[in-house]
Amino acid sequence: MTAPTPTTDPTEAALRRVVDTVGGLMELWGFRRALGRMWASLYLAPSPLTAQELAERLTLSAGAISTNLQELVEWGVVKKTLRPGDRKDYFEPETSIWKMVSRVFRERELARVRQAIELFQTALANLAPAVRAARADEKRRLAFARDRVESLLGLARIGEGMLEAILAGRRVDASPIARFFSGGS
């Protein structure tokens, strides 16, 4: 990826910084920077853009643009549109930030937390008979590990409940997380 061409226009420079900042925020959230930059460029554009226009604005290759646009379309944060009489594909952003965030929470974060819960429950099911059957010194070690996995399971369940509340638009009660970290139950 080559650096964007510097501009002396303060408005364009400010918009370029916005695009780069959104790319950085998306990177923090586990997505590639280019995805965030592409979405932000579309979001700031008054009308849909072609892949070529995006490539020129972001100084990315046609291949990078194509691959990233496909991923953005799959996530539902960009949609392909057509203009009558024009054979080019145009792209426009999803403009509901909440719709995008909630989809990521539901399909990625909540799914991963639920996978972790299943894994912790399976580990606990395997640890229970092992603790009972172990010698005294091994029993202490396994009981300690069981207690720690139970703690992780509790934290994961709190996270699951908070994500579910956020997605349902309910008020989030942070007291369970505060109690967890203060050692209470």
Side-chain angles (χ1 to χ4, degrees):
M1 176 171 95
T2 52
T5 307
T7 179
T8 55
D9 178 357
T11 304
E12 287 304 312
L15 291 175
R16 183 167 283 125
R17 284 192 301 274
V18 169
V19 166
D20 290 340
T21 298
V22 170
L25 289 170
M26 292 300 98
E27 192 171 43
L28 283 173
W29 216 15
F31 293 96
R32 287 186 311 285
R33 179 178 292 267
L35 293 172
R37 291 181 71 233
M38 288 175 67
W39 177 85
S41 293
L42 291 168
Y43 187 74
L44 294 173
S47 59
L49 301 175
T50 65
Q52 182 179 348
E53 289 169 322
L54 268 174
E56 290 167 5
R57 284 179 185 219
L58 299 172
T59 62
L60 292 171
S61 71
I65 292 290
S66 177
T67 300
N68 288 319
L69 277 173
Q70 182 178 348
E71 187 170 343
L72 290 168
V73 168
E74 288 171 8
W75 272 104
V77 298
V78 168
K79 60 184 168 187
K80 195 183 299 190
T81 61
L82 301 172
R83 288 187 179 167
D86 193 340
R87 297 178 67 181
K88 295 178 191 167
D89 290 330
Y90 288 81
F91 298 89
E92 61 184 305
E94 169 61 58
T95 57
S96 168
I97 305 296
W98 175 244
K99 185 175 179 181
M100 292 186 303
V101 168
S102 63
R103 180 168 183 185
V104 171
F105 275 175
R106 186 175 293 106
E107 292 184 17
R108 198 177 71 172
E109 275 72 8
L110 188 57
R112 287 184 182 165
V113 168
R114 287 180 172 155
Q115 288 171 349
I117 288 170
E118 287 180 31
L119 183 134
F120 298 151
Q121 289 171 329
T122 301
L124 288 171
N126 290 328
L127 279 168
V131 170
R132 285 191 300 275
R135 294 185 323 261
D137 60 332
E138 184 67 3
K139 189 177 292 251
R140 278 190 300 278
R141 185 184 74 78
L142 292 174
F144 179 83
R146 179 200 57 217
D147 291 346
R148 292 291 172 98
V149 173
E150 285 174 351
S151 181
L152 291 170
L153 176 59
L155 180 59
R157 285 184 172 149
I158 290 168
E160 177 186 38
M162 292 177 86
L163 282 169
E164 287 173 341
I166 289 168
L167 289 168
R170 296 188 316 261
R171 176 177 234 163
V172 175
D173 178 12
S175 62
I177 198 93
R179 279 194 306 274
F180 179 85
F181 284 114
S182 69
S185 40

